[in-house]
Amino acid sequence: MLKDSDMLSHLMRRKPNHSLPRDVYVDPAMHDVDMHHIWYSDWIFATPACALPKAGNHIALQIGDYGVIIVRGNDGVIRAFHNACRHRGSRLCKPGMGSAPKLVCPYHQWTYDLDGKLLWAREMGDDFDPSQHGLKTVHCRDAGGMIFICLADEAPAFDKVEENTKRYFAPHGLDNCKVAHTSSIVEQANWKLVMENNRECYHCSGSHPALCVTFDDNPNIAGNGDGIADPVIEKHLQRCEDAGLPSRFVIAPDSQWRLVRVPLLGKSVSYTMDGGPSCEKTLGTVPFRDAGSLLFFHYPNTWNHFLSDVVMMFRMLPISTTETEVTTFWIVRKDAEEGVDYEMERLTDVWTHTNDEDRAIVEENQKGINSPAYEPGPYSTVQESGVIQFVDWYADTMTRRLTGRKLFAAE
């Protein structure tokens, strides 16, 4: 296809350690290539498992042209299905959260069980076989309490992601947690700019006064992040590992995902305006309050912070070439009571401000790139190593898929 060859041409001409060519951020045809070769092909973070605590709890998402329902079944298993009735294709659920004992099409009331089987379809004739008309399944995996889905017919490898997240997340006890608050904002910017902004803290001191009370903008933390040459990070990693808290840097061979636990500033224990706890109840078996933040990203759409008292999961979904939805989940212990163990404003204040500040940053970034005068500029190898890593992952992955070369396993 012409647009595939255009994308390949852009990527082959890109300068190493520079931002991407303009069309890759602004051209709807290039966005369409992104959707087909990244978003419809990769594992995408959909929801925390604890957002669906009971049978029938479900969430409906829109990922480009695809509507998806993620639902917890009567057997406790979370599954994903295409959000289209097998009768005449009507959408079963509107986007957002819901709960129902069955999935019922609003058009003609075809009724599906929570495992996708068609239970009832009125007056379809004696030769109609309900077993051939169940909901179409979408690949769905639980990575330590984070539900990922994949729209591809054949999903990439995921075992190593699941293996590592289960081990690193286990002390936080996500199976004994609840979502205390959810917030969604729409950023008028290409999804890659949203992720690029997340992968560096070069901008933090000038843009995030609340976050910088507790989060260190040390590039060894915010960037590529192994911290090997940083004695402060190394001391923190060793202390956590000695206490049985998985913490050391681990990254996929193709850099699609990474885990590492980093210290917060000074005596800070959580993301609050004073560095104190945001919730009085400690998560799971985390051995001490000042465990810092376990950072986990998985391209193309999630970055996350696991602390001793709260977990923040972030989900990014593209709406159009220059529109991106960012959803934040604040997760606390299931038995934590609002007004007793945590105050909502204190729990959410820092990242509510930070999200709004990031929205303003990336929207201005997009407006500048929209100008025909834009040309790719150099990244700081000191401050923007994480951005370089993401852009390299994107360009390398896209190039392999467009040329049919063998992919790295996602291990």
Coordinates of all heavy atoms in Angstrom, one line a residue, residues 3 40 111 132 156 159 178 180 186 199 206 211 218 240 264 266 272 274 308 352 369-370 384 389 395:
K3 N 0.5 4.2 1.4 CA 0.7 4.8 2.7 C 1.8 4.1 3.5 O 2.5 4.7 4.3 CB -0.5 5.1 3.5 CG -1.4 3.8 3.8 CD -2.7 4.2 4.4 CE -3.6 3.0 4.6 NZ -4.9 3.4 5.1
Y40 N -3.6 -2.2 16.3 CA -4.3 -3.4 16.0 C -3.5 -4.7 16.1 O -4.0 -5.8 15.8 CB -5.0 -3.3 14.6 CG -5.9 -2.2 14.4 CD1 -6.3 -1.8 13.1 CD2 -6.5 -1.5 15.5 CE1 -7.2 -0.8 12.9 CE2 -7.4 -0.4 15.3 CZ -7.7 -0.1 14.0 OH -8.6 1.0 13.8
T111 N -29.3 -12.2 23.3 CA -28.7 -12.3 24.7 C -27.6 -13.2 24.8 O -27.7 -14.4 24.4 CB -29.8 -12.7 25.7 OG1 -30.9 -11.7 25.6 CG2 -29.3 -12.7 27.1
Q132 N -23.0 -21.3 16.8 CA -22.1 -20.7 15.8 C -22.2 -19.1 15.8 O -21.6 -18.5 14.9 CB -22.6 -21.2 14.4 CG -22.5 -22.7 14.2 CD -21.1 -23.2 14.4 OE1 -20.1 -22.7 13.8 NE2 -20.9 -24.1 15.4
P156 N 1.1 -11.3 19.7 CA 2.5 -11.5 20.0 C 2.7 -12.2 21.3 O 1.8 -12.3 22.1 CB 3.1 -10.0 20.1 CG 2.0 -9.2 19.5 CD 0.7 -9.9 19.7
D159 N 4.2 -14.0 27.5 CA 4.5 -14.8 28.7 C 5.4 -14.1 29.6 O 5.3 -14.0 30.9 CB 5.0 -16.2 28.4 CG 3.9 -17.1 27.8 OD1 2.7 -16.7 27.9 OD2 4.3 -18.2 27.4
K178 N -9.1 -1.8 45.2 CA -10.2 -1.2 44.5 C -9.8 0.0 43.8 O -8.8 0.6 44.1 CB -11.4 -0.9 45.4 CG -11.0 0.2 46.4 CD -12.2 0.5 47.4 CE -11.8 1.6 48.4 NZ -13.0 1.9 49.3
A180 N -10.2 3.7 43.5 CA -10.8 4.8 44.3 C -11.3 5.9 43.4 O -12.3 6.6 43.8 CB -9.8 5.3 45.3
V186 N -8.8 14.4 27.4 CA -8.5 14.3 25.9 C -7.4 15.4 25.6 O -7.7 16.6 25.9 CB -9.7 14.5 25.0 CG1 -9.3 14.5 23.6 CG2 -10.7 13.4 25.3
R199 N 8.1 10.0 28.7 CA 9.3 9.3 28.9 C 10.5 10.2 29.2 O 11.7 9.8 29.0 CB 9.6 8.5 27.6 CG 8.6 7.4 27.3 CD 8.6 6.3 28.4 NE 9.9 5.6 28.3 CZ 10.8 5.6 29.3 NH1 10.6 6.2 30.4 NH2 11.9 4.9 29.1
G206 N 10.3 22.8 35.2 CA 9.6 24.0 34.7 C 8.1 23.9 34.6 O 7.5 24.9 34.3
L211 N 4.4 17.7 41.3 CA 5.1 16.4 41.2 C 6.5 16.5 41.7 O 7.0 15.5 42.3 CB 5.1 16.0 39.7 CG 5.7 14.7 39.4 CD1 5.0 13.5 40.1 CD2 5.8 14.4 37.9
N218 N 15.9 13.4 38.3 CA 17.2 12.8 37.9 C 17.0 12.0 36.7 O 16.1 11.1 36.6 CB 17.6 11.9 39.1 CG 18.9 11.2 38.8 OD1 19.4 11.1 37.7 ND2 19.4 10.5 39.9
C240 N 15.4 -2.6 48.9 CA 14.2 -3.2 48.5 C 14.3 -4.7 48.3 O 13.5 -5.5 48.8 CB 13.6 -2.5 47.3 SG 13.0 -0.8 47.6
L264 N 11.8 8.0 46.0 CA 11.2 9.3 45.9 C 12.2 10.3 46.6 O 13.2 9.9 47.2 CB 9.9 9.4 46.6 CG 8.8 8.5 46.0 CD1 7.4 8.7 46.7 CD2 8.6 8.8 44.5
G266 N 14.0 12.7 49.2 CA 14.0 12.9 50.6 C 13.3 11.8 51.4 O 13.5 10.6 51.2
T272 N 2.2 13.3 47.2 CA 1.3 14.3 47.8 C 2.0 15.6 47.9 O 3.2 15.7 47.6 CB 0.9 13.8 49.3 OG1 2.2 13.6 50.0 CG2 0.1 12.6 49.3
D274 N 2.9 17.3 50.4 CA 3.9 17.4 51.4 C 4.8 16.1 51.5 O 5.7 16.0 52.4 CB 3.3 17.6 52.8 CG 2.3 16.5 53.2 OD1 2.2 15.4 52.5 OD2 1.5 16.7 54.2
S308 N 3.7 2.5 48.0 CA 3.3 1.6 49.2 C 1.9 1.8 49.6 O 1.3 0.9 50.2 CB 4.2 2.0 50.4 OG 4.0 3.4 50.8
T352 N -3.6 15.0 39.2 CA -4.6 15.8 38.5 C -3.9 17.0 37.9 O -4.1 17.3 36.8 CB -5.7 16.2 39.4 OG1 -6.4 15.0 39.9 CG2 -6.7 17.1 38.7
I369 N 4.4 21.5 15.8 CA 4.8 20.5 14.8 C 3.8 20.7 13.6 O 4.2 20.4 12.4 CB 4.7 19.1 15.3 CG1 5.9 18.9 16.3 CG2 4.7 18.0 14.2 CD1 5.9 17.6 17.0
N370 N 2.6 21.2 13.8 CA 1.7 21.4 12.7 C 2.2 22.4 11.7 O 1.8 22.4 10.5 CB 0.3 21.9 13.3 CG -0.5 20.9 14.0 OD1 -0.2 19.7 13.9 ND2 -1.5 21.3 14.7
E384 N 17.0 12.9 27.7 CA 15.9 12.3 27.0 C 16.2 10.9 26.4 O 15.7 10.5 25.4 CB 15.5 13.3 25.8 CG 15.0 14.6 26.3 CD 14.8 15.6 25.2 OE1 15.8 16.0 24.5 OE2 13.7 16.0 24.9
Q389 N 14.6 6.0 23.5 CA 14.3 4.5 23.6 C 12.9 4.3 23.0 O 12.7 3.3 22.2 CB 14.3 4.1 25.0 CG 13.9 2.7 25.3 CD 13.6 2.4 26.7 OE1 12.6 3.0 27.2 NE2 14.4 1.7 27.4
A395 N 10.0 3.2 15.7 CA 10.6 3.2 14.4 C 11.0 1.8 14.0 O 10.8 1.3 12.9 CB 11.7 4.2 14.2

